[in-house]
Amino acid sequence: MMKLELLLAALLSLCVQNANADVALNDFSLLLFGASDHHGCSTCHLNESNPGAGLEWKFSGDDDQGRWFARAGSYRDSFKKTAYFGSIGWRKEWQIAGPVVAGIGLQGGYLDGSDRHGLAALPIFSIGTRAVALEIGYLPKVSAGNHHPKTAVTTFNLRWTF
């Protein structure tokens, strides 16, 4: 639990240092993690139910150029252990039809879990509305631990902006 507290404290410190008086409430989002799908390893038996939660703060940019964000969170990883992360990222969204938007982005930061203790990056595709979006992350063939061959991973989470 101490690792999560340290990551959240670091994110809060970043927010306070860069915050200004006109920060809108909709610059903050709740992240709900839920699932992953592992491809290319029929004998790995990795956990694909990954509940967890996190926070996102959009701190710079605009709809035309894309938005920069900071994230921190925790989830149950593929090895049924608790993983923690803190990251910085960028996302660009386009209005598709009515309130529906699609976006692409990339986040990178520190991951403590999922058999990794160091820097990690995750490209993201999103679809939904400005208020609620499904985010799909994809990592091509990565190491799935010391006892598993390399496997591709697709992740799924919801982003709720309030």
Side-chain angles (χ1 to χ4, degrees):
M1 194 62 166
M2 184 62 160
K3 293 177 185 177
L4 177 61
E5 292 169 353
L6 288 173
L7 285 171
L8 291 175
L11 181 62
L12 180 60
S13 173
L14 176 67
C15 293
V16 169
Q17 289 175 1
N18 294 316
N20 56 31
D22 61 345
V23 170
L25 186 57
N26 65 3
D27 286 342
F28 293 91
S29 299
L30 174 66
L31 306 169
L32 299 174
F33 307 112
S36 63
D37 187 26
H38 301 85
H39 318 277
C41 182
S42 60
T43 61
C44 291
H45 306 294
L46 297 167
N47 178 38
E48 295 188 342
S49 175
N50 309 110
L55 294 173
E56 175 184 283
W57 174 54
K58 293 179 284 220
F59 60 87
S60 181
D62 57 33
D63 289 342
D64 293 332
Q65 301 298 315
R67 303 284 311 257
W68 288 93
F69 59 83
R71 288 181 168 186
S74 177
Y75 61 93
R76 191 86 166 150
D77 70 15
S78 299
F79 304 103
K80 297 184 179 179
K81 296 179 181 175
T82 302
Y84 306 95
F85 74 92
S87 65
I88 300 290
W90 174 87
R91 178 178 51 253
K92 172 72 172 127
E93 294 179 318
W94 295 270
Q95 188 168 356
I96 303 299
V100 178
V101 296
I104 58 169
L106 178 66
Q107 67 175 327
Y110 185 81
L111 175 61
D112 186 1
S114 298
D115 206 35
R116 178 120 177 111
H117 306 284
L119 297 178
L122 181 67
I124 302 169
F125 169 76
S126 62
I127 186 86
T129 66
R130 299 243 184 236
V132 178
L134 171 66
E135 293 186 336
I136 302 165
Y138 180 75
L139 288 174
K141 302 273 183 178
V142 295
S143 175
N146 297 330
H147 308 293
H148 302 289
K150 291 190 179 249
T151 180
V153 180
T154 304
T155 64
F156 303 91
N157 71 274
L158 290 176
R159 182 183 73 241
W160 175 50
T161 301
F162 46 95

